[in-house]
Structures are given as structure tokens and as C-alpha cells.
Amino acid sequence: MEVVTAHGPAGVLLDEADHPAFLLVLTHGSNGSVDAPDLLAVRETALGLGGSVARVTQPFRLAGRRAPGPVAKQDEAWLEIVGMLRERAGNVPLVQGGRSNGARVACRTAAAAGAVGVLALAFPLHPPRNPERTRVDELRSAGVEVVVVNGDRDPFGVPDGADATQVTVLAGERHELNRDPAAVGRAAEPWLRRWAG
């Protein structure tokens, strides 16, 4: 479906459970898509736990741009999309997440969206070879539980265990988390299960 926001239309692929235990809203990285292997693995895990899953293509990507543009506009559009999805899903826990830039959006907007938690895949702690430009405050200021899944070879860095509720580091994985996507789903499963009860 298409959702019109103040900053352009967004695309939503929605897998709805008949009686969802929770709503998981996921999004892509700056130059990625909602068909990234790690996102699909988490989607399968969430569906298996009785959740509804929405994969959101943000307005900048739907427009064909690689860069997300101003943070404020990206976050405003995200909150509009999530608001519509929450209305549709009813009164169930909202978990939001994404990979890379999408993980940053999910952290920045978690409190305003009313999320119970954030699943941050391949959180880009800093630009490659530029560790002094840290984005750790986005993790620390989410205001909700944040579960991070990163690869140990990620050139964007790996958050410290003290920076989030839980940090799982997958051996041999780089930023794409595509070597063993099922491991990403397994890493997310215990935490997602909390909202399935």
C-alpha cells in the first residue's frame, strides 16, 4: 500500500495476523530495500510469533534517492506512517526497527511513536574510518529497550554492551548481515517473544 506523508509517499508491505500479538514495523538502510536478507529473517521470526509485520519503504527511497535528507523530515514522515499502521493494528504493542539508517530512525522516534522497544540491525555507530563521529547518543536516548544485532566485521563499528539493552555480535558478519540471515532472526527471537505473550 502507499501512505502519503508530508514529505512524499511511502510504500508499505504489510503481513497482517488475524489477531496480532504485536506490530513490528521495519525499514531499510540509506541505499537498501525492505527485501534485505536480515529484514526478511526478522519478518519470518515475528510472523512465527503471531505478530503483524510492516516493511516500510521511506519516501526518499520511493522517490529514487539514496540519501535520506534532513533528519527532522525523515523522522516526521516515519511518525506519520507508524501512526497510520498503529490505527490499523489496534491496541497491540508496537516494536519498531530497521537496518543501518533505518535503525537510527527507529531509535530517534521510538518514544514519540509509543513503541515498547527497538530492534536495531547493523546500527551504524560511526562512519567508516571516522570513529570520533559517534552516533551512540541515538541508541542511549531512545527512551525504550533497544536490542542491537551487529556483525563483528562491520566497518561502521559495533555498539558497546552498555549502549543498549542487549547487543548481539555475529561472528564473520559485515554491515550487510547477509552471510547467515537466519542467525539475525534467531538473535531477535527471544526478545520479540516477550511481546508475543
Side-chain angles (χ1 to χ4, degrees), residues 137-180:
D137 286 346
E138 292 179 349
L139 281 174
R140 294 177 179 168
S141 63
V144 298
E145 290 189 11
V146 179
V147 171
V148 175
V149 182
N150 267 59
D152 67 347
R153 297 181 181 181
D154 194 328
F156 289 85
V158 179
D160 187 82
D163 296 331
T165 307
Q166 174 186 323
V167 177
T168 299
V169 182
L170 301 178
E173 290 283 4
R174 292 183 57 79
H175 192 64
E176 297 76 19
L177 293 176
N178 61 4
R179 189 169 171 227
D180 183 7

Side-chain angles (χ1 to χ4, degrees), residues 22 42-51 53 189 193 196:
F22 59 90
V42 169
R43 168 187 171 266
E44 289 304 312
T45 297
L47 292 175
L49 294 170
V53 181
E189 192 271 343
R193 186 175 291 281

Side-chain angles (χ1 to χ4, degrees), residues 89-163:
N91 189 25
V92 298
L94 166 69
V95 179
Q96 57 181 31
R99 62 165 288 101
S100 194
N101 178 71
R104 295 180 63 199
V105 174
C107 286
R108 290 194 307 258
T109 61
V116 295
V118 171
L119 180 60
L121 307 177
F123 187 87
L125 190 62
H126 57 74
R129 298 174 301 283
N130 199 354
E132 65 277 3
R133 286 191 51 204
T134 182
R135 300 169 178 133
V136 71
D137 286 346
E138 292 179 349
L139 281 174
R140 294 177 179 168
S141 63
V144 298
E145 290 189 11
V146 179
V147 171
V148 175
V149 182
N150 267 59
D152 67 347
R153 297 181 181 181
D154 194 328
F156 289 85
V158 179
D160 187 82
D163 296 331

Side-chain angles (χ1 to χ4, degrees), residues 3-133:
V3 179
V4 178
T5 77
H7 303 291
V12 178
L13 296 173
L14 183 59
D15 294 291
E16 289 183 292
D18 289 337
H19 302 286
F22 59 90
L23 171 64
L24 174 62
V25 185
L26 297 169
T27 193
H28 50 79
S30 290
N31 192 30
S33 81
V34 294
D35 292 324
D38 54 346
L39 293 178
L40 293 177
V42 169
R43 168 187 171 266
E44 289 304 312
T45 297
L47 292 175
L49 294 170
S52 288
V53 181
R55 290 176 293 142
V56 175
T57 301
Q58 297 177 64
F60 78 93
R61 286 297 293 151
L62 207 62
R65 295 190 302 274
R66 294 176 61 161
V71 165
K73 289 183 178 181
Q74 189 180 22
D75 291 355
E76 286 168 10
W78 178 257
L79 289 170
E80 286 184 64
I81 297 159
V82 170
M84 183 280 298
L85 290 168
R86 290 200 79 179
E87 282 183 28
R88 184 177 176 116
N91 189 25
V92 298
L94 166 69
V95 179
Q96 57 181 31
R99 62 165 288 101
S100 194
N101 178 71
R104 295 180 63 199
V105 174
C107 286
R108 290 194 307 258
T109 61
V116 295
V118 171
L119 180 60
L121 307 177
F123 187 87
L125 190 62
H126 57 74
R129 298 174 301 283
N130 199 354
E132 65 277 3
R133 286 191 51 204

